[in-house]
Amino acid sequence: GQAQAQWPTLSIDLSDTVCIDQPLSIANTSTGAVTYDWDFSTGELANEPNATAIVSSTTLGRPFNLALIEEAGSWFGFVMGSNTRSLVRLEFDSLSDPSPEVFNVGTLGGVFNNPRSIDLFKEGDTWYGLVADFGSGILFRLTFTNGLQQAPTVENLTTLGLINSPYDLSIIDDGTSIWAQIIEFGGTVVFVEFGSSITNDPTGQASQITIPGSSQTVSIATVNECGTWYSVVSSAGNNN
């Protein structure tokens, strides 16, 4: 079924007149959310960003995507080395850190063939990861029982009958169920439902849709706006 989340109501009380160099008092009277992040510097995303190379290392092993997460004030990046078949961890002092430390977590028992994508999800006090393996078509679950700075355990969740050549994935919590959204190189999106917990067995809970006019689909991004989910897919084969 479809989950209908309550959309927060924005409300801010402030004076319509303020003198230069005088403080401006702002009162947040918004409702419908637990926490709020405010950004009063509008327009940054319309500007051309500055790109900086922060890591150049064979340890990365030809990564295809990056999972970036924050834990207790520290930032971590995780990539799968498609050539080395390894999990790699980046540790940042801050998001502006120009030289994160790079750690090869290892092959985790040699279970990967050609891993392309990884995403992480926190449930309770434990972080979990899902890895889509392009070479084998297998979905793997990682459990970071001892924290993000230790090697996780790995579970083989099989191909679920629909995964063949996964290129990108994301984990989505719709408020009712946890989902893995997987983009297939052949032009389909596979949805894997874990129910109320990412630790559940997803066998038999997978479905797929075909993307019309696509060719060599390689990435997907999904957002929720006012209770409706939207996805954008890139199609490398025909530049769409």
Side-chain angles (χ1 to χ4, degrees), residues 104-165:
N104 184 355
V105 182
T107 62
L108 306 183
V111 297
F112 304 118
N113 184 306
N114 188 351
R116 291 292 173 94
S117 57
I118 181 174
D119 199 11
L120 274 74
F121 181 82
K122 190 176 185 180
E123 184 174 301
D125 295 326
T126 303
W127 282 96
Y128 298 89
L130 293 178
V131 175
D133 193 292
F134 182 81
S136 64
I138 292 175
L139 183 65
F140 294 92
R141 178 166 52 208
L142 312 182
T143 302
F144 292 84
T145 304
N146 298 314
L148 293 172
Q149 292 176 302
Q150 302 297 322
T153 57
V154 186
E155 297 173 78
N156 182 335
L157 300 181
T158 74
T159 66
L160 302 174
L162 294 174
I163 304 172
N164 296 295
S165 52

Side-chain angles (χ1 to χ4, degrees), residues 182-206:
I182 304 168
I183 188 71
E184 287 274 309
F185 192 64
T188 61
V189 182
V190 177
F191 300 92
V192 181
E193 185 177 5
F194 289 85
S196 60
S197 173
I198 197 170
T199 63
N200 289 337
D201 183 358
T203 302
Q205 302 299 319

